Amino acid sequence: MIVMLFDAHKLDISDEFSETIAACKGNDTKIRIVLNKADRVTNQQLMRVYGALMWSLGKVLGTPEVARVYCGSFWDQPYQNDDNRKLFEAEEEDLFRDIQSVPRGSIVRKLNDLVKRCRLAKTHAYIMSHIKTELPMFGKEAKMKQIIANMPKIFEQIERERGIPAGDFPNVTEFQESLRGFDVSKLPKLNQTMIDSLDKMIGSELPKLMAQVPQDQDLAHEDYMVNVRKREGGALFDKNLTPFGEGATMDILNSPLPMREYEFEFEKLGPGGDGKINGTVARGPLQDSKLPNATLRRIWTLADFDQDGKLSLHEFAICKQLMKMKLDGHELPVELPSMWLSPVTE
């Protein structure tokens, strides 16, 4: 996969970038475009920026269809414009899903290439066999020149007799050049048994292999993606599911947790009989920070240390403190300080 990033407020494609894009020619299906920092513009401006980007890419890529463009704010800073939050979250999920499906795409592409090579080999075998049968015992050089000159009609004849699609034939001009000076008489006779084996592999064996590859509808199914998250983990998907889908040591980490500071706000959310709020209740107040879901997901994973999918006052206070750290421009810690793990208030 080739990911090209553009900032929403800087869409100019420099000469160096144009040369880089040109170097990717032949890999058009692997290109993905990311319109980053899209929260820096308003809804109306985003429409104009998106249109301008598509127009610029259309001139540079030179393909009938422009590559998929993902709009969002792909960093851990708060959204400046929160109006398109749902759009950005959906685009982020689509991009991560696309990245997660790269291994599948690689397998499918290799199988398709194998089928293509098999069909080309079969067509090539029929062409060379036809040429060999046309050669006489004497005067081979003169006959070969005649055959090379008549190659387009020979292609049409083989296509008609063997039922081979025109797309499986090589380039006529290049094939004619390759035949000049080549001794066709040294080639063995056409082995029809091998051709039949090739047809069987293309017709039945390769489809069986393809059936073992997860299909697009499987990738879109939530149960499948949950299993992928549990199996893969990594940066794209957390192993622990949170209501958001998915460091530096400083003074705040070395200070006691100020639980009383957040007690009133927590009680307003209406904790249940177990003294906790669920993810649905907590989601709104935490999203008010305008931090991206990927950051809130990590904060939730750190704060919900008993992993019950709910927040106690103690855990809620941890969430708020971590959010405060992030909004102040600090990195989140890898793990919570030990003094925060026991419910001791300031």
Side-chain angles (χ1 to χ4, degrees), residues 27 31 45 51 76 95 109 142 264 333 339:
N27 297 289
I31 295 177
Q45 290 172 335
D76 53 4
L95 177 58
R109 186 167 56 253
F264 178 73
M339 70 173 64

Side-chain angles (χ1 to χ4, degrees), residues 75-94:
W75 63 345
D76 53 4
Q77 299 302 310
Y79 293 129
Q80 286 193 8
N81 186 350
D82 201 35
D83 294 341
N84 292 317
R85 184 186 189 97
K86 289 185 178 180
L87 170 66
F88 297 157
E89 292 172 2
E91 292 286 277
E92 178 184 297
E93 285 293 323
D94 284 350

Side-chain angles (χ1 to χ4, degrees), residues 157-212:
Q157 181 183 347
I158 296 174
E159 178 184 349
R160 184 173 57 255
E161 293 177 353
R162 300 288 185 177
I164 300 175
D168 288 351
F169 285 83
N171 181 276
V172 177
T173 304
E174 294 178 358
F175 194 78
Q176 287 172 322
E177 290 294 328
S178 300
L179 282 178
R180 290 188 174 92
F182 184 79
D183 189 358
V184 180
S185 61
K186 293 183 178 180
L187 293 175
K189 291 183 179 180
L190 179 68
N191 189 330
Q192 190 59 45
T193 303
M194 294 183 67
I195 295 294
D196 294 340
S197 298
L198 195 61
D199 286 336
K200 180 182 178 182
M201 183 182 70
I202 296 174
S204 60
E205 299 300 328
L206 288 178
K208 290 179 182 178
L209 282 176
M210 188 69 75
Q212 299 179 27

Side-chain angles (χ1 to χ4, degrees), residues 82-267:
D82 201 35
D83 294 341
N84 292 317
R85 184 186 189 97
K86 289 185 178 180
L87 170 66
F88 297 157
E89 292 172 2
E91 292 286 277
E92 178 184 297
E93 285 293 323
D94 284 350
L95 177 58
F96 287 171
R97 193 185 301 273
D98 201 356
I99 295 173
Q100 198 78 40
S101 67
V102 166
R104 174 194 176 273
S106 176
I107 295 172
V108 172
R109 186 167 56 253
K110 288 177 181 178
L111 289 176
N112 288 335
D113 288 343
L114 178 58
V115 172
K116 182 179 179 180
R117 290 171 67 89
C118 290
R119 293 171 64 175
L120 290 175
K122 175 184 173 181
T123 304
H124 189 81
Y126 280 132
I127 295 172
M128 301 308 291
S129 175
H130 179 89
I131 294 174
K132 187 172 182 177
T133 56
E134 291 290 319
L135 290 178
M137 291 293 294
F138 304 100
K140 292 182 179 180
E141 292 185 6
K143 184 62 176 177
M144 193 64 188
K145 290 180 180 179
Q146 182 182 349
I147 290 174
I148 292 174
N150 199 38
M151 192 57 62
K153 291 184 179 180
I154 292 176
F155 277 17
E156 292 177 3
Q157 181 183 347
I158 296 174
E159 178 184 349
R160 184 173 57 255
E161 293 177 353
R162 300 288 185 177
I164 300 175
D168 288 351
F169 285 83
N171 181 276
V172 177
T173 304
E174 294 178 358
F175 194 78
Q176 287 172 322
E177 290 294 328
S178 300
L179 282 178
R180 290 188 174 92
F182 184 79
D183 189 358
V184 180
S185 61
K186 293 183 178 180
L187 293 175
K189 291 183 179 180
L190 179 68
N191 189 330
Q192 190 59 45
T193 303
M194 294 183 67
I195 295 294
D196 294 340
S197 298
L198 195 61
D199 286 336
K200 180 182 178 182
M201 183 182 70
I202 296 174
S204 60
E205 299 300 328
L206 288 178
K208 290 179 182 178
L209 282 176
M210 188 69 75
Q212 299 179 27
V213 180
Q215 302 302 307
D216 290 336
Q217 58 266 29
D218 295 329
L219 295 174
H221 198 275
E222 183 61 27
D223 290 341
Y224 176 83
M225 294 311 298
V226 167
N227 290 333
V228 169
R229 292 185 184 103
K230 289 181 178 178
R231 183 176 69 252
E232 301 295 341
L236 300 184
F237 295 107
D238 289 324
K239 293 182 179 178
N240 298 321
L241 301 180
T242 72
F244 305 100
E246 174 142 3
T249 302
M250 33 196 276
D251 292 342
I252 192 170
L253 292 176
N254 295 325
S255 304
L257 188 66
M259 289 174 53
R260 292 179 182 174
E261 181 179 329
Y262 304 109
E263 187 173 359
F264 178 73
E265 181 180 356
F266 180 78
E267 291 298 328

